[in-house]
Amino acid sequence: MAKRLKLRTLNFYFESMATSAPISKNTENQNGSIIPTNYPALATLVVVFFFWGFIAAGNSVFIPFCKNYFGLDQFQSQLIDFAFYFAYFVGALLLFIYANVKRKDLVAFWGYKRSIVYGLLLSALGAVIMIIAVLANTYAGMLVGFFMVAFGFSLQQTAANPFAMTLGDPATGANRINLGGSVNSFGTFAGPIIVALALFGVTKASDDQIAGLSLDKVSILYGLVCGLFVAAAALFYFSKKVPSGIEEATVEKAGKAQTALLVMTGLLAIAFSIVFYTYTLDEGNEAVKAAIENKRFIWLLVALLSIIGTLVFSYKSANKNQDGWGAMKYPQLILGMLAIFIYVGVEVAIGSNLGDLLGQKAFGEIPTSKAAAYISMYWGSLMIGRWAGAINVFKPNKNLKNLLLLIVPLAAFGVLILINTIAMNDMKPLYWYVLCVLVLVGAFYLTQDKPAKTLLVFSICGIAAMLVGLFTTGTVATYAFLSGGLFCSIMWPCIFTLSLAGLGKFTTQGSAFLVMMILGGAIIPPIQGKLSDIIGIHQSYWIPVICFAYLALFAFLVKGLLQKQGIDYDNKVS
């Protein structure tokens, strides 16, 4: 009886998904057997995951270069990251507005395959714009190039995540996204090293080398990047193993959701305009400077509250009357939008503030040249967790899986140590970080691949790690904050899978909403940074504690919400 109930739950999910991908690959067989994973299509798909990490992390080389080359201040150089992350929001918002006006889901109409191809070509156009801007010697033009590259990424990501879910059993969709995430993390880890090698001939760049970089090498690098984007698009387009993923479904009018998101966008535009305007003012004496800094902080909080307020209002309104809310009529999606916003924000915030934290006396006053090893380990921790989370994609038997859950994270840790050693980073202080990796292994054994339980356990581990870091100093605190990367590692696929469950024809619209919330990477880190000016960089890590607490709450609430709709991933997997 229990088995029939589980299969009935899964059948309900597939009926709601209403996808037109081939039955043999992407839907459950009529006899209820487990759906085989489409490995050739999945292998092709993970290529684009690598690009997202590689390009985004490679920006870390361009920020100090542009600051030196164009004579920028710190805020102006950070506009590279702002342009990059804000493009995700704009791209996803435009996809939604088009769908709402035309009553047609553009990604579903094109199909996941063509949407990813078009996204790659848009990113290639961004690389061309970058080359033109370099030839014209204009920083503003380079920002447009960064924006267009990420604009293409927004289309790719809107299609790629739900596409990965359809390439096999939906209950293990998080594992397939995790596989892409593990490749993405390798790109994040390798990006700065490869970019520095291409530009300087070394695996990491000194300040003098960054200052002495010529724009000619930048144009050559982005010429190669453009070629890679086009090659990946061709690989996707001509691959017969990749299903089209086309879905011809009329989109329900979502006027209320559009109004809410446009109001939120307007509030964000006002807040960001004031934040940007304050950087054009003459700061004068210390009192004036402090007043301006406080004004910036207040308007960053306004931006944050605009997003939270819009989502809370939408959640309550959709509960009263679902008409006009489209995908946002599903409570799991609205709560998931806030979860993605907070997850991206906390992941970036922990890493972005590590350099200043390690420079404090309580943490050994580690200089910038040596802090690179620690920062690399933080971002590499995401790779460790995602490599482990991707094991289930290959469906090993129970004994082999238990063995791999121990071996794979330790092997990934060894790869990080080896590559950093080759890059001439001193990794000896981080050898005992392997103990934190073993804690991660224990968490994986405890969660048993259940998405909601995994998110809850990892969020609690994140809270514990941040509290240990806050109430200790030195090596223990350093390891605790670094382990935030381990516990953030597989949150994205868990949130994505749980948020899109049961959305049916609204799946791609919901995916677009979730991609919008990558905006968290442009808001939460500067809020923590400004808070550090007030209470100190160490105590500013209360921000990640609050973020992990919400993610734990989401994991607790979403399981009950899905069960009411007849969807229970955790029981299906168990």
Side-chain angles (χ1 to χ4, degrees):
M1 178 69 177
K3 184 176 181 181
R4 286 200 298 272
L5 284 174
K6 292 176 184 177
L7 293 176
R8 202 172 297 162
T9 297
L10 192 57
N11 284 330
F12 170 84
Y13 175 76
F14 273 111
E15 289 171 6
S16 68
M17 283 292 288
T19 181
S20 62
I23 292 292
S24 62
K25 294 290 184 183
N26 302 325
T27 58
E28 182 177 299
N29 298 328
Q30 292 182 356
N31 62 9
S33 62
I34 297 298
I35 309 139
T37 300
N38 187 338
Y39 289 112
L42 185 60
T44 308
L45 180 63
V46 298
V47 172
V48 299
F49 280 80
F50 177 82
F51 280 131
W52 302 338
F54 177 81
I55 297 297
N59 290 348
S60 63
V61 176
F62 287 101
I63 289 174
F65 159 67
C66 288
K67 181 179 180 180
N68 283 280
Y69 186 88
F70 292 104
L72 308 174
D73 61 27
Q74 185 63 21
F75 172 77
Q76 290 169 329
S77 68
Q78 292 291 331
L79 287 177
I80 290 175
D81 267 346
F82 180 81
F84 197 83
Y85 284 110
F86 193 63
Y88 279 96
F89 175 77
V90 173
L93 180 63
L94 290 177
L95 279 175
F96 165 65
I97 292 175
Y98 176 90
N100 195 48
V101 172
K102 297 290 187 179
R103 302 293 300 277
K104 181 187 294 184
D105 188 325
L106 195 58
V107 172
F109 175 73
W110 284 341
Y112 297 135
K113 180 177 179 177
R114 286 172 61 195
S115 296
I116 292 172
V117 170
Y118 295 156
L120 285 165
L121 293 177
L122 282 172
S123 294
L125 176 61
V128 172
I129 293 173
M130 178 71 72
I131 295 170
I132 295 172
V134 166
L135 295 175
N137 200 39
T138 168
Y139 178 59
M142 292 180 69
L143 291 178
V144 174
F146 282 117
F147 180 91
M148 184 57 69
V149 169
F151 187 77
F153 284 178
S154 71
L155 177 57
Q156 296 166 42
Q157 209 155 51
T158 300
N161 287 288
F163 193 24
M165 291 172 61
T166 68
L167 296 178
D169 186 352
T172 56
N175 294 319
R176 288 186 294 281
I177 299 177
N178 242 336
L179 177 62
S182 66
V183 177
N184 174 272
S185 291
F186 183 74
T188 301
F189 169 70
I193 296 175
I194 295 174
V195 170
L197 182 63
L199 296 178
F200 311 111
V202 293
T203 54
K204 61 178 182 177
S206 66
D207 291 341
D208 290 340
Q209 287 171 315
I210 290 174
L213 175 65
S214 69
L215 285 180
D216 292 340
K217 288 189 175 182
V218 176
S219 62
I220 293 172
L221 176 64
Y222 265 85
L224 295 174
V225 168
C226 179
L228 289 173
F229 283 140
V230 173
L235 176 65
F236 243 87
Y237 183 78
F238 291 109
S239 176
K240 295 181 180 179
K241 296 291 186 179
V242 179
S244 64
I246 295 175
E247 176 184 333
E248 295 183 7
T250 302
V251 176
E252 180 181 325
K253 199 76 172 175
K256 293 179 181 177
Q258 178 174 293
T259 300
L261 290 171
L262 288 176
V263 169
M264 184 183 79
T265 303
L267 293 173
L268 289 175
I270 293 171
F272 287 136
S273 295
I274 295 176
V275 170
F276 293 158
Y277 173 71
T278 60
Y279 278 88
T280 67
L281 300 177
D282 183 4
E283 295 182 346
N285 59 39
E286 289 299 319
V288 174
K289 181 179 179 180
I292 293 174
E293 288 289 342
N294 289 335
K295 189 174 184 179
R296 293 168 189 161
F297 183 57
I298 290 171
W299 282 101
L300 282 171
L301 289 178
V302 169
L304 175 64
L305 293 175
S306 297
I307 293 172
I308 295 175
T310 299
L311 294 177
V312 170
F313 171 80
S314 301
Y315 180 82
K316 292 184 177 181
S317 298
N319 275 342
K320 294 178 181 178
N321 184 1
Q322 294 185 348
D323 293 340
W325 284 102
M328 290 178 72
K329 69 183 179 183
Y330 294 93
Q332 65 264 34
L333 177 68
I334 296 180
L335 294 177
M337 289 170 68
L338 184 56
I340 286 290
F341 176 87
I342 287 175
Y343 156 71
V344 175
V346 70
E347 178 186 287
V348 176
I350 293 173
S352 296
N353 290 285
L354 270 178
D356 287 339
L357 179 74
L358 296 173
Q360 303 301 304
K361 185 176 181 180
F363 288 83
E365 296 179 318
I366 299 171
T368 303
S369 59
K370 292 185 178 181
Y374 294 85
I375 296 172
S376 174
M377 183 57 71
Y378 172 75
W379 292 109
S381 294
L382 295 168
M383 185 184 80
I384 293 172
R386 287 169 181 170
W387 279 20
I391 290 172
N392 256 13
V393 173
F394 305 102
K395 298 181 180 178
N397 61 48
K398 185 176 180 181
N399 291 333
L400 178 59
K401 175 186 166 184
N402 288 335
L403 181 62
L404 289 175
L405 277 177
L406 175 63
I407 294 175
V408 170
L410 293 177
F413 176 71
V415 169
L416 292 176
I417 294 292
L418 176 62
I419 294 178
N420 270 288
T421 301
I422 294 173
M424 301 181 70
N425 286 324
D426 181 12
M427 301 303 290
K428 291 180 181 179
L430 289 168
Y431 286 168
W432 287 104
Y433 185 66
V434 69
L435 297 176
C436 297
V437 176
L438 292 176
V439 172
L440 174 78
V441 172
F444 271 114
Y445 282 128
L446 179 63
T447 58
Q448 300 175 330
D449 301 309
K450 301 177 180 181
K453 186 176 182 181
T454 297
L455 183 59
L456 179 61
V457 169
F458 276 62
S459 298
I460 292 173
C461 288
I463 294 171
M466 296 302 105
L467 290 175
V468 169
L470 281 164
F471 290 104
T472 59
T473 57
T475 301
V476 172
T478 300
Y479 281 13
F481 288 132
L482 289 178
S483 67
L486 294 173
F487 303 122
C488 280
S489 61
I490 62 167
M491 287 185 172
W492 172 278
C494 291
I495 296 170
F496 230 93
T497 302
L498 295 168
S499 300
L500 295 180
L503 265 62
K505 64 183 180 181
F506 296 105
T507 298
T508 53
Q509 185 185 93
S511 180
F513 288 159
L514 292 173
V515 171
M516 287 182 200
M517 295 297 103
I518 291 177
L519 185 64
I523 295 179
I524 292 179
I527 288 178
Q528 182 179 344
K530 180 55 188 173
L531 184 64
S532 72
D533 293 335
I534 300 172
I535 63 175
I537 185 66
H538 191 181
Q539 294 304 309
S540 74
Y541 274 79
W542 280 105
I543 294 290
V545 173
I546 296 171
C547 291
F548 281 125
Y550 172 77
L551 294 173
L553 177 63
F554 169 74
F556 176 78
L557 294 176
V558 74
K559 183 177 180 180
L561 290 171
L562 292 178
Q563 285 177 337
K564 290 180 181 178
Q565 299 172 36
I567 303 169
D568 194 343
Y569 281 154
D570 282 3
N571 283 337
K572 174 66 180 72
V573 173
S574 64

